[in-house]
Amino acid sequence: MKVTIENLKLHYGKFNAIDDLSLSIGDGESVVLLGKSGCGKTSTMRCIAGLEVPTSGRITIGDTPMFDNVRGINVPPNKRNVGMVFQSYAVWPHLTVMQNVAYSLKVQKVPSDQIRTRVHEALELVGLAEFANRGASLLSGGQMQRVALARSLVMHPSVLMLDEPLSNLDARLRDRLRVELREIQLEKGLTTVYVTHDQSEALALADRIALMQGGRIVQIGSPTEIYAFPRTATIAHFLGVSNVFDCTAEQTSAGIAAHVEGTTSVVQTSDQRLLAAGPQQLCIRAEDITLSSEPVHDHNTWEGTVRVSSFQGSSIRYAVELTDHNELDVYVPARGSKHYEIGDTVHAYISPEAAQVLPKDLSADDATTEKAA
């Protein structure tokens, strides 16, 4: 079911947790609210669920208004048919898996035969059918999170909302559950709102990512768009771009030429977008840099010395100190690439297609007028 948020504001005294936010989420769409702690993403989710009362604005689920301060509408949380999965599992340890999942249906006085059917379907969906009669206290963390998910799914929610549900799990289990969550969302056609500060999680789970800063959406788009075309250097850095340098930029016939501040280095990009006003920064992803023992290009090449070499299984990460005293973070595949030792002299090449010159931040006007239609 579609969700529409219009001009939403949430103030705590003088603090603006949500600042005039508008967002439309399509029926069956998965939207991830991504941002640092305190950016307003969880507050936005809680407003949709009815767990926070906005200062102003309008929230609609389907065609039914859930909140409208002008019309005096504020539907209570238990009447919104929204499923919530939190970071903490909130599983009752003294009950079995089946009893945990069935609890909310019993509260709603659903007939017993329907409860059994719906609980079985939900447990099958999350891969816990064989654990139905096991005590919840005997489950692993990943299994408990599946119980929490099944407890929401069994209610047949109009919207499923997940607030960093995987953050308490180990890295391998987190990766596996991301895939399972995406499979369930696609299989059931669930309208989903997912909150996280983890860019990898956002890229894996979203149809669209709404990146938030200061209670506002500063960029929204598909995972591919967000990853490849961040609007600002601040956004690029948050999305994992580790090489960010202050620069003075000029438009050329070939793209943009970036003069790295404090050095004589000039990096040519193929970016044809017009330069924005204000401070500019050169942004280069670590995985887009090529290392060689000898220079193989006469442009966009820096010489430096390997200061750190970190083997990470499928990849090697290098910290390369350049002759101009800047440092490059370089990420190369462990297989098929030459390995360098600490102290080796290397030449780092940046393709013009891989280098981006971006404004450091959005202007206040740009940030507050960013809408998602």
Side-chain angles (χ1 to χ4, degrees):
M1 195 169 287
K2 68 180 181 179
V3 178
T4 305
I5 304 170
E6 301 170 81
N7 305 113
L8 190 69
K9 295 183 180 180
L10 176 63
H11 299 165
Y12 298 113
K14 295 182 178 179
F15 175 68
N16 295 338
I18 306 173
D19 189 6
D20 199 24
L21 183 147
S22 294
L23 175 65
S24 293
I25 302 170
D27 185 18
E29 183 180 27
S30 174
V31 169
V32 173
L33 304 181
L34 174 66
K36 297 178 181 178
S37 296
C39 72
K41 57 188 187 295
T42 295
S43 294
T44 301
M45 172 180 281
R46 289 175 63 84
C47 285
I48 298 171
L51 301 177
E52 295 281 357
V53 180
T55 305
S56 62
R58 178 181 169 91
I59 299 170
T60 304
I61 297 179
D63 297 319
T64 306
M66 296 294 160
F67 176 84
D68 189 328
N69 70 299
V70 174
R71 297 166 60 189
I73 297 172
N74 185 22
V75 177
N78 62 315
K79 301 294 184 181
R80 297 193 182 194
N81 193 29
V82 169
M84 291 286 296
V85 181
F86 298 97
Q87 181 177 346
S88 59
Y89 312 130
V91 170
W92 289 292
H94 63 288
L95 300 179
T96 66
V97 169
M98 177 172 284
Q99 289 168 336
N100 266 278
V101 176
Y103 181 81
S104 54
L105 296 178
K106 287 185 176 180
V107 170
Q108 290 189 349
K109 302 187 185 304
V110 175
S112 297
D113 57 336
Q114 290 186 33
I115 290 177
R116 285 192 296 271
T117 300
R118 286 168 64 171
V119 169
H120 179 73
E121 288 174 351
L123 292 178
E124 282 281 355
L125 197 60
V126 301
L128 286 180
E130 62 186 282
F131 296 94
N133 296 314
R134 179 172 295 188
S137 61
L138 302 177
L139 301 177
S140 67
Q143 290 167 337
M144 279 197 246
Q145 195 56 280
R146 285 187 173 92
V147 173
L149 178 59
R151 193 168 52 201
S152 289
L153 293 173
V154 79
M155 299 302 296
H156 297 167
S158 300
V159 183
L160 179 64
M161 315 191 78
L162 304 105
D163 189 2
E164 306 205 48
L166 307 182
S167 58
N168 289 335
L169 306 177
D170 63 75
R172 185 179 294 276
L173 182 56
R174 215 164 39 234
D175 288 343
R176 188 167 79 243
L177 285 184
R178 282 176 196 164
V179 176
E180 292 181 10
L181 277 173
R182 186 60 168 154
E183 287 178 345
I184 290 170
Q185 188 266 328
L186 291 171
E187 179 182 337
K188 302 297 288 185
L190 287 168
T191 303
T192 305
V193 181
Y194 194 104
V195 162
T196 185
H197 63 273
D198 185 323
Q199 62 138 334
S200 298
E201 209 159 272
L203 294 171
L205 291 168
D207 292 311
R208 284 190 300 155
I209 296 171
L211 203 147
M212 295 185 65
Q213 293 176 355
R216 297 167 292 188
I217 295 174
V218 293
Q219 185 170 358
I220 187 163
S222 70
T224 303
E225 291 166 346
I226 292 286
Y227 184 87
F229 303 108
R231 292 186 70 190
T232 69
T234 301
I235 292 173
H237 188 260
F238 178 73
L239 293 173
V241 177
S242 51
N243 299 298
V244 180
F245 305 101
D246 292 332
C247 70
T248 303
E250 60 179 344
Q251 208 88 36
T252 70
S253 59
I256 298 173
H259 302 258
V260 180
E261 288 191 7
T263 76
T264 59
S265 300
V266 179
V267 174
Q268 181 67 48
T269 83
S270 59
D271 197 340
Q272 298 293 334
R273 291 175 292 180
L274 292 176
L275 287 166
Q280 306 291 316
Q281 292 188 313
L282 173 67
C283 301
I284 306 166
R285 285 192 172 273
E287 60 268 30
D288 289 333
I289 298 171
T290 303
L291 293 182
S292 62
S293 300
E294 301 292 335
V296 292
H297 299 276
D298 57 3
H299 63 283
N300 284 14
T301 300
W302 282 324
E303 183 178 325
T305 304
V306 174
R307 294 303 181 204
V308 177
S309 174
S310 176
F311 178 72
Q312 299 180 357
S314 62
S315 62
I316 304 174
R317 201 146 203 157
Y318 296 105
V320 178
E321 183 181 350
L322 305 177
T323 53
D324 60 19
H325 303 298
N326 278 316
E327 186 172 278
L328 277 183
D329 181 34
V330 184
Y331 185 86
V332 300
R335 291 183 179 178
S337 60
K338 182 176 180 179
H339 292 197
Y340 297 96
E341 304 295 332
I342 293 174
D344 285 352
T345 297
V346 293
H347 297 267
Y349 169 69
I350 302 98
S351 164
E353 290 77 22
Q356 291 181 311
V357 175
L358 301 171
K360 185 174 181 180
D361 282 303
L362 293 177
S363 69
D365 288 342
D366 284 340
T368 55
T369 57
E370 175 70 12
K371 305 293 183 186

